[in-house]
Every structure is written in C-alpha cells, then in structure tokens.
Amino acid sequence: MNYNKLAADPTSLVLGIVSLVIILLGCCCGIFAVIALVMSIIGLVLAVKSLKEFDQYPDNFSIQSKKNVYAGKIVCLIGLVLSALFIVIYAVVFVLYQVNFADKVKEIYQEGRERQYQTQDTIYNQSIEDTISQSDSVYIDSVKIE
C-alpha cells in the first residue's frame, strides 16, 4: 500500500514550534505575542483540517503522519494558550499603568507650556515698588531731579 502524508504533517508542527520559540524569546514585547498567536491559530486550523481528512479516508494516509499532525495540534494549542495569556497580561498592565502614563505626559506638557510663556526680561520681573525704593531720584532726559 502507498501511504501519503497529511497536508499539515510538517506545517502544523513547525508553526507550533516557531510560535513557542517566539513566545519564549520575545516575551518582553507585546507584538511578538500577537504574531505567535496568529501562527498558533493557523497551525491549529491546518491540523484540525488534516485530522478530519484522516478520519474520512484513513486508508490513504500513514499513521505516523497522523501522529505528527496530532503532535503539531498539541504544540499549537500550547502556543495559543501561552500567547493569549501574554496578551491578557500586557492588556492588564497597559490598563493599570495607562493613567499614570497619561498623567506624566500631561504634566510634562504643562511644564513645557509654562516655560514657553515665561519672560526672560528682568524689567518685567521687577515690581515698580522695588524700582522706586532703590532711589528717590528720577532722571528725565539726562537731568537728575530730586
């Protein structure tokens, strides 16, 4: 008998392993969890389709191919759960620290606006009383009047 391989025999297993590697090596960045989630879903869909195909025509495919696809399905499920868990953790952290981040950005923006409108001229910083109390003399056209 001539046994064939299932369509997702190496594909689902490879996608599952790559998604696990991406999750474990890139766990500090949220975008990698999304990429691993997508890869796990694709691998899982391919594995389920191939297993349904094996159930319809078991005589056409080898048992080893079914075992490989089943192992790929399990690895993709593990990758799916881990990546979904990381995404939920990132979402919770973002929601909890979003308020603090927004407050800091607003505070920095307001400080910048205040600095922008501060005058650097010493004439405007002195009050009239300080100027008058320093001397009782008034200069009018270079003539001193006391």
Side-chain angles (χ1 to χ4, degrees):
M1 290 186 140
N2 187 6
Y3 291 116
N4 297 324
K5 287 177 28 174
L6 288 166
D9 183 6
T11 310
S12 64
L13 191 59
V14 168
L15 285 173
I17 291 171
V18 170
S19 71
L20 283 177
V21 169
I22 288 174
I23 290 170
L24 296 177
L25 293 180
C27 64
C28 61
C29 300
I31 190 70
F32 292 124
V34 173
I35 293 170
L37 179 74
V38 169
M39 291 177 69
S40 295
I41 290 172
I42 292 171
L44 189 61
V45 168
L46 290 174
V48 168
K49 282 176 111 179
S50 290
L51 289 175
K52 282 183 182 179
E53 188 178 357
F54 181 82
D55 290 339
Q56 286 179 348
Y57 308 107
D59 296 335
N60 294 342
F61 302 105
S62 69
I63 300 296
Q64 185 61 38
S65 181
K66 179 187 177 189
K67 289 179 182 179
N68 289 344
V69 171
Y70 191 72
K73 180 181 175 182
I74 292 172
V75 172
C76 285
L77 280 173
I78 293 170
L80 181 74
V81 169
L82 287 177
S83 60
L85 182 68
F86 277 120
I87 289 172
V88 167
I89 289 171
Y90 291 135
V92 167
V93 168
F94 180 72
V95 167
L96 290 178
Y97 290 108
Q98 171 186 354
V99 175
N100 292 338
F101 180 71
D103 290 341
K104 290 292 182 186
V105 169
K106 184 178 178 183
E107 182 180 310
I108 291 169
Y109 175 74
Q110 287 176 345
E111 287 176 4
R113 296 285 289 185
E114 289 173 3
R115 281 191 212 129
Q116 180 182 3
Y117 291 113
Q118 286 180 348
T119 57
Q120 300 298 325
D121 198 359
T122 57
I123 295 173
Y124 295 114
N125 290 338
Q126 293 179 352
S127 65
I128 296 175
E129 292 84 24
D130 291 341
T131 308
I132 294 174
S133 67
Q134 288 177 356
S135 68
D136 293 336
S137 302
V138 177
Y139 290 96
I140 299 177
D141 292 334
S142 300
V143 178
K144 184 176 181 182
I145 300 174
E146 290 193 30

